[in-house]
Amino acid sequence: MKRFLTWRDDWYLGIEGIDSQHLRLVELVNQIAGLLEADNPDAVGGATPMQLIQQLQVETRLHFRSEEAFMRECGYPDYVSHHREHAMLQAELKELIRDIEEGKRKFDIDTLTSLKHWLINHVIDSDLDIARHLHKHKLAPAEDQL
Ligand SMILES: [Fe+2]
């Protein structure tokens, strides 16, 4: 079966801690897609799509925090705008979850598709820029920074 969100090798930042967190977020999105695409989503594997999106929210917050710490440590020049983007994404995710809980929005594959797009766009547009900064200044990510 085709995966809902397929990771591409050119999305790797070359920063081990961040890359593994990105892969984990992708895995969670795919797990949610698997449940939403199943005939009876609530009956699969124990966790519900809602529990998994809440898990995604928690892990996204932790991921953003460690990415922000990394950016500060390597003197990344666009920290402020990147941080603002993280805050916006977190607010959007929070609002999305609230809308689903309040029945204002249906939790279906279309909803997840918009979430998938912001995740990918953020990685491609903003996160990869951190890697470009490291490369430009020949800074090697230290193992203990994450
Ligand atoms: Fe980021």
Side-chain angles (χ1 to χ4, degrees):
M1 197 176 107
K2 193 178 177 307
R3 287 168 72 77
F4 177 70
L5 172 50
T6 306
W7 180 262
R8 290 175 43 153
D9 283 351
D10 51 358
W11 296 346
Y12 279 113
L13 271 61
I15 305 163
E16 208 178 310
I18 294 180
D19 286 331
S20 60
Q21 288 170 357
H22 282 160
L23 288 171
R24 167 69 185 152
L25 298 181
V26 166
E27 182 193 315
L28 265 174
V29 169
N30 280 322
Q31 282 177 0
I32 298 169
L35 292 182
L36 292 176
E37 285 169 340
D39 287 341
N40 185 4
D42 292 340
V44 181
T48 64
M50 186 46 98
Q51 285 169 332
L52 286 184
I53 199 172
Q54 284 164 340
Q55 181 69 23
L56 181 72
Q57 184 184 30
V58 169
E59 295 196 26
T60 299
R61 191 187 313 131
L62 294 173
H63 163 60
F64 284 172
R65 253 185 234 160
S66 60
E67 210 178 72
E68 285 158 12
F70 182 80
M71 285 189 282
R72 283 195 302 271
E73 282 179 47
C74 72
Y76 179 64
D78 292 325
Y79 174 83
V80 173
S81 62
H82 198 132
H83 182 277
R84 194 178 305 130
E85 205 175 310
H86 282 173
M88 273 163 46
L89 292 173
Q90 277 178 269
E92 265 181 58
L93 187 53
K94 191 176 171 190
E95 191 182 313
L96 173 68
I97 291 173
R98 199 187 50 219
D99 284 353
I100 294 168
E101 279 172 339
E102 291 175 358
K104 289 182 190 156
R105 202 157 162 180
K106 210 173 147 214
F107 193 10
D108 57 15
I109 210 74
D110 290 339
T111 305
L112 195 67
T113 300
S114 61
L115 203 149
K116 166 172 108 166
H117 287 146
W118 75 236
L119 181 65
I120 296 171
N121 289 335
H122 178 73
V123 171
I124 294 173
D125 290 338
S126 303
D127 292 344
L128 278 172
D129 196 61
I130 305 170
R132 279 191 287 271
H133 168 77
L134 292 180
H135 189 69
K136 203 165 104 191
H137 297 279
K138 305 216 172 357
L139 300 168
E143 290 292 321
D144 61 356
Q145 280 180 327
L146 289 170

